[in-house]
Amino acid sequence: MKKYKVDQLRNLAVVSHGGAGKTTLAEAMLYLSGGVDRFGKVDEGTSTMDYDPDEVKRKISINASVAPVEWKDHKINFIDTPGYSDFVGEVVGALRVADSVLVAVDAVSGVEVGTELMWRRVEEYDLPRMIVISRMDRENANFNKAVESLTEIFGNRVAVAQIPIGEGDKFRGVVDLIKMRAYVWEDASGKKFVETDIPADLADIAEEHREKLVEFAAESDEELLDKYLEGEALTEDDIKAGLAKAVLSRSAYPVFCISGMKLIGIQPLMDAIISLCPSPVAVGPVKGIVPNSEDTIERKPEETEPFSALVFKTMADPFVGKITMFRVYSGVVKSDSQVYNASRDKTERFGQIFLTKGKQQVAVSEVGPGDIAGVAKLADTTTGDTLADKDNPIILPKIQFPSSVLSMAVKPKSKGDEDKISQGLARLMEEDPTLKYDKDAESSELVVSGMGEVHLDIMADRLKRKFGVEVTLEEPKIPYRETIKNTVKVEGKHKKQTGGRGQYGHVWIEMSPLPAGSGFEFEDKVFGGAVPRQFIPAVEKGLREALPEGGVLAGFPLVDIKCSLYDGSSHPVDSSEMAFKIAAQLALKKGCQDANPIILEPILKVEVTVPEEYMGDVMGDFNKKRGRILGMEPEGRYQVVKALVPMSEMAKYSIDLRAMTGGRATFTTEFSHYEEAPANIAARVIEEAKKEKEA
């Protein structure tokens, strides 16, 4: 593949609601630019970009795929991202290394739930963006209605740069409002089209939209604005230069229209990407910090700068092992060279560097600033790490992946597969940072957390396919606790006489409740040597060891208790550390029974970001879940509802919230505190624990 200068590169992430035609657009661009010999189709399982077995089976994008599209002496690194929110981690990684974004909107549906969610992600990264109304060949396609929905939701920066010639099965071309020329496709291959005059029936609407487009271009540049206000006509080059500045400054979002399946409008769209989307040079230097300091430094997108790159994706390839995808920000890296991982203070050996085109790998000798490439078999490098020049290191800002929203317990279908599951999940986590797993020390369950049901289902499918382990997913156990409400004084005596030396330990302990979150306190109040000094640590140790399973109601860990040792007795021969440990544990158990024991349930702090029209539904649902509303804060068109909700009521909240708001809301949770469970909940928990013990 030809080597391109930095200003000839475009790093473009394409985002949308699921099913809006991103992958088909990528296939069309690859095909029409000569990157592939055949036009791959998602429905037929022949797509270049969706090559993973799970993607072929489900006919959706699950992974972000990178493909270089060579067009008119430029290279567009096209990053096709998943549209379903369960795979938002892939989108976040892509946005982190993109210089601009193309937002795809379905011509029939207009702005959908996923469009809004993805737009919010793009806003977080403050990236320049353009919009394409796709699938214009569909029945009931309506360009004007789609534009209205864009303007209504994303504001008056939406700037129509093309209008369609026909809609639905009559869609056959586009009117370019910069050139004021029409392009008509009459050849089914999509490769040939005719440039012609604007159809008479579209002339007025074209003039109307062009006037607004020229205003956007003029307002982005003082010289152009003066020219415009003086009544002088802006040239085609003026408009392109002005719009490119408007896109870079986020003051305009030009709108185009295509049919990926019918290969109509693709070439003008690629032209627009090259002329309007910023190159790495236009975006400018990247900032990072010097390792082991807080000093900020910059790297310009130039070959003469020290090398720096960010790893944004890791993949497990069955043939070559781990593949690391990275974006170079400065300098040059060559195949078969030593590279420094500044994030981990490790040196890595780079083998053959390659560009990816779906699963195809194109070997290259080096990669320069602004470009995206991959390398195999790095030992210590993971997603989010910075690769750099060891003599001039820099650490670039890490990728902030969203927190998991759904947790399930993973159970093997066959005994003895627990180790295989752990190894498999560790490998899958390298590929997907939004996937987390942890062994719950209390319940011994392996709990895996992800972004939704489909995400975890695919995780289970991959465990089976890649690692030969079949698993089931169940709701994880809730980590309840037990404590006491009253203060009691209790005796514990362990006395055992056998043929030889006996065992004797005797203690009096005062047990009292502590404020929530205090844990456990031990106090030595013994006077006069009733309990010899050498056995007092054994008393404390016995109590601490009994806490994890010391609850008398349902066997949950005991918390928020103070135990004061104030009296006891000993035997000159039979007393031992073990005897006093056992005596203390007997006292603890008896004291818990007498001190009004209660069940404590974990409470989560929940924040839901929701459109205003669904706020009442969300708050009503929290009330049903025994939640307490803490307050609300406006955030643009959204409201952030804050509440405290019992963990037991939040098991499948991601599914409930999606159904309640049509997928428009997002939420985060974090542990807040424990509080007493209501009597009916406590009774149910105790009954379930009893049944489990009997089983």
Side-chain angles (χ1 to χ4, degrees), residues 426-451:
R427 292 277 301 278
L428 292 178
M429 277 175 58
E430 286 183 357
E431 292 186 50
D432 184 356
T434 60
L435 196 65
K436 309 284 183 193
Y437 86 96
D438 192 24
K439 185 153 188 179
D440 190 303
E442 189 177 316
S443 66
S444 296
E445 288 183 324
L446 196 60
V447 178
V448 63
S449 303
M451 302 309 297

Side-chain angles (χ1 to χ4, degrees), residues 237-248:
D237 288 342
D238 286 340
I239 297 171
K240 280 184 183 176
L243 280 178
K245 284 188 176 181
V247 169
L248 183 61

Side-chain angles (χ1 to χ4, degrees), residues 575-592:
S575 286
S576 66
E577 287 190 2
M578 181 57 71
F580 272 96
K581 272 177 69 173
I582 295 170
Q585 290 169 354
L586 291 171
L588 181 73
K589 192 158 192 174
K590 187 172 184 299
C592 284

Side-chain angles (χ1 to χ4, degrees), residues 214-215 217-234 238:
V214 171
E215 285 180 16
E219 287 169 358
S220 69
D221 184 278
E222 283 189 20
E223 285 185 24
L224 292 180
L225 185 58
D226 290 342
K227 193 173 178 181
Y228 176 75
L229 292 174
E230 288 169 8
E232 192 176 338
L234 300 188
D238 286 340

Side-chain angles (χ1 to χ4, degrees), residues 137-201:
D137 58 303
R138 286 184 69 198
E139 187 180 351
N140 298 322
N142 191 323
F143 179 81
N144 290 334
K145 192 174 176 184
V147 171
E148 283 173 15
S149 71
L150 285 163
T151 306
E152 180 186 344
I153 294 171
F154 302 137
N156 57 10
R157 298 183 193 180
V158 174
V160 176
Q162 282 180 352
I163 57 174
I165 301 173
E167 293 178 333
D169 59 5
K170 293 180 180 176
F171 179 59
R172 59 194 182 91
V174 298
V175 174
D176 183 329
L177 301 179
I178 298 175
K179 293 185 175 182
M180 287 303 276
R181 296 291 288 167
Y183 300 100
V184 179
W185 279 256
E186 292 172 348
D187 174 26
S189 74
K191 293 186 176 181
K192 295 178 183 177
F193 57 93
V194 178
E195 182 178 330
T196 182
D197 293 333
I198 298 172
D201 61 329

Side-chain angles (χ1 to χ4, degrees), residues 120-136:
R120 278 164 60 191
R121 295 282 174 197
V122 175
E123 292 269 71
E124 287 171 16
Y125 284 90
D126 193 25
L127 288 167
R129 67 213 78 159
M130 301 201 308
I131 300 167
V132 61
I133 296 176
S134 61
R135 308 177 83 189
M136 282 296 305

Side-chain angles (χ1 to χ4, degrees), residues 274-528:
I274 288 168
S275 61
L276 302 184
C277 289
S279 71
V281 175
V283 172
V286 65
K287 290 183 180 179
I289 60 166
V290 177
N292 304 314
S293 80
E294 294 184 3
D295 296 339
T296 302
I297 49 175
E298 285 188 349
R299 289 282 187 268
K300 296 174 185 174
E302 297 172 2
E303 290 191 4
T304 53
E305 286 271 287
F307 169 67
S308 66
L310 182 74
V311 174
F312 69 95
K313 183 173 172 59
T314 307
M315 299 179 287
D317 187 282
F319 302 107
V320 299
K322 187 168 82 170
I323 292 176
T324 301
M325 298 296 299
F326 59 93
R327 150 91 191 255
V328 180
Y329 282 92
S330 63
V332 177
V333 63
K334 297 185 177 183
S335 294
D336 301 314
S337 61
Q338 297 277 353
V339 174
Y340 179 60
N341 184 328
S343 302
R344 300 180 185 275
D345 192 21
K346 300 268 186 182
T347 300
E348 293 274 24
R349 177 77 187 175
F350 259 38
Q352 178 64 59
I353 298 172
F354 49 80
L355 309 179
T356 60
K357 193 184 293 178
K359 62 183 174 185
Q360 182 186 347
Q361 295 169 3
V362 182
V364 292
S365 60
E366 64 179 44
V367 184
D371 217 342
I372 291 174
V375 67
K377 298 179 180 175
L378 296 188
D380 300 303
T381 299
T382 59
T383 303
D385 286 354
T386 299
L387 303 173
D389 181 334
K390 190 164 188 176
D391 295 329
N392 295 281
I394 183 175
I395 296 179
L396 301 172
K398 289 185 79 71
I399 303 170
Q400 300 298 320
F401 289 99
S403 302
S404 309
V405 299
L406 182 66
S407 297
M408 300 292 279
V410 184
K411 303 284 176 72
K413 285 189 177 178
S414 304
K415 285 188 175 179
D417 277 351
E418 286 83 357
D419 287 343
K420 277 189 184 178
I421 292 175
S422 295
Q423 290 167 12
L425 286 173
R427 292 277 301 278
L428 292 178
M429 277 175 58
E430 286 183 357
E431 292 186 50
D432 184 356
T434 60
L435 196 65
K436 309 284 183 193
Y437 86 96
D438 192 24
K439 185 153 188 179
D440 190 303
E442 189 177 316
S443 66
S444 296
E445 288 183 324
L446 196 60
V447 178
V448 63
S449 303
M451 302 309 297
E453 271 190 309
V454 178
H455 189 202
L456 296 186
D457 284 346
I458 285 174
M459 174 275 302
D461 288 347
R462 287 179 171 173
L463 280 177
K464 181 181 177 181
R465 191 179 74 249
K466 292 186 175 184
F467 306 102
V469 188
E470 287 196 66
V471 299
T472 56
L473 298 174
E474 301 173 5
E475 286 190 23
K477 292 176 182 174
I478 305 296
Y480 293 102
R481 297 285 183 264
E482 296 185 31
T483 191
I484 57 174
K485 293 186 79 172
N486 297 342
T487 298
V488 294
K489 292 184 177 180
V490 63
E491 179 185 26
K493 181 182 281 189
H494 177 62
K495 184 177 181 182
K496 193 172 183 182
Q497 192 66 46
T498 54
R501 180 179 171 179
Q503 294 180 41
Y504 184 89
H506 177 218
V507 296
W508 278 93
I509 291 173
E510 181 180 69
M511 292 173 57
S512 54
L514 287 174
S518 300
F520 172 75
E521 281 184 24
F522 176 77
E523 187 179 8
D524 172 15
K525 287 175 140 183
V526 174
F527 293 102

